[in-house]
Amino acid sequence: MTRTRAYLALGSNLGDRAAYLQHAIDGLAATEGIDVVAVSRVYATEPVGGPTQDDYLNAVVAIDTMLTPHELLGVAHAIEDSAQRVRAVRWGPRTLDVDVLLYDDIKLDDDVLTIPHPRMWERDFVLVPLHDVAPDVVHDSDHAQGGVRDAEVALRLPVT
Ligand code: GSY
């Protein structure tokens, strides 16, 4: 069966932020059809958009997957739900956000999913960690590093 390289963005600015990011990685690694192959450094980032809210921790994971993009989106939403995510305020604070950024080089746009992620190229909180795991996709000159600093938190790549 074909394995496809995909990249997911993780974000949290509510509760134990680092634990929620690790929860996402562990949930992805425990999912049949997903191999987590690399995890970026963790960055403390200023919130972009939405109401006044606390800083985020952000990271990006590279996976190899046999799931379709929509199956992957379903897994991402299930992991968000398992982190007690409440969808109250658009762009508001959240325990965990798991966004599908890229799925090989496919382009897809329907009612529920757009790949590449439509706002990823404007977001340093995505581009800086994506550069860690995919320097061939995001080059140094693609991001300004504004409002993004090393959080000095390490995430574990689970052994499966
Ligand atoms: O789109 C993801 C949630 N989100 C973030 C985020 O993850 N990081 C930062 N820095 N700002 C954000 N605004 C939103 S909404």
Side-chain angles (χ1 to χ4, degrees):
M1 191 116 176
T2 318
R3 287 154 57 89
T4 302
R5 174 61 53 91
Y7 297 95
L8 305 178
L10 310 179
S12 171
N13 75 337
L14 210 54
D16 188 339
R17 301 171 302 164
Y20 282 124
L21 298 188
Q22 188 64 53
H23 174 77
I25 293 164
D26 293 346
L28 291 166
T31 302
E32 200 170 334
I34 294 180
D35 289 326
V36 177
V37 295
V39 180
S40 74
R41 281 175 288 182
V42 180
Y43 295 91
T45 68
E46 291 168 11
V48 174
T52 303
Q53 54 188 302
D54 292 339
D55 283 0
Y56 280 79
L57 291 185
N58 285 109
V60 166
V61 289
I63 63 168
D64 282 339
T65 186
M66 291 190 289
L67 304 186
T68 65
H70 288 89
E71 288 171 337
L72 195 53
L73 180 68
V75 169
H77 285 167
I79 292 173
E80 289 175 348
D81 290 343
S82 71
Q84 300 85 44
R85 163 109 178 240
V86 177
R87 291 175 172 78
V89 182
R90 190 158 193 241
W91 311 117
R94 61 211 52 205
T95 54
L96 182 61
D97 199 71
V98 181
D99 286 336
V100 181
L101 298 175
L102 298 168
Y103 184 96
D104 196 9
D105 57 2
I106 74 153
K107 289 185 169 46
L108 183 163
D109 187 12
D110 64 22
D111 288 351
V112 293
L113 184 60
T114 302
I115 299 176
H117 188 287
R119 290 172 293 282
M120 62 176 275
W121 295 104
E122 304 149 17
R123 294 175 160 183
D124 279 351
F125 68 79
V126 170
L127 297 179
V128 173
L130 182 56
H131 175 262
D132 286 346
V133 293
D136 51 329
V137 176
V138 178
H139 306 107
D140 269 335
S141 54
D142 290 332
H143 58 80
Q145 208 131 1
V148 174
R149 58 196 192 279
D150 200 324
E152 293 174 17
V153 169
L155 298 173
R156 278 174 287 106
L157 188 59
V159 182
T160 48

